[in-house]
Amino acid sequence: MRKLLVSLILLSSLTGNSQIVNIPDPVFKNALLNYPTAIDTDFDGEIQVSEALAVHKLVFNSRNFTS
């Protein structure tokens, strides 16, 4: 399942530039944007597919994510 998901993300990233990942939970999005190791490498306030694919591990302690 994970390989299928990664494959779909990779294929979708080939069809256009700077596709933004939809993150509906504002608390989670804020945590990603303020993560100690920069995920939002172009600092535009959004997470592109290419930026998300570059992340290998995330660690969050005691956060209240809803989705």
Side-chain angles (χ1 to χ4, degrees):
M1 180 68 177
R2 181 182 166 119
K3 287 182 182 180
L4 176 62
L5 181 59
V6 171
S7 297
L8 288 174
I9 290 171
L10 286 173
L11 288 174
S12 67
S13 67
L14 295 175
T15 61
N17 276 338
S18 300
Q19 292 182 346
I20 296 172
V21 177
N22 180 28
I23 304 170
D25 185 340
V27 175
F28 183 58
K29 183 175 181 178
N30 187 48
L32 290 173
L33 293 174
N34 294 301
Y35 200 74
T37 305
I39 296 171
D40 179 20
T41 57
D42 61 2
F43 304 103
D44 66 348
E46 299 291 345
I47 306 293
Q48 278 77 26
V49 172
S50 59
E51 294 169 330
L53 288 172
V55 176
H56 298 285
K57 183 178 181 178
L58 292 171
V59 178
F60 295 107
N61 295 319
S62 66
R63 301 282 184 152
N64 293 320
F65 303 131
T66 59
S67 60

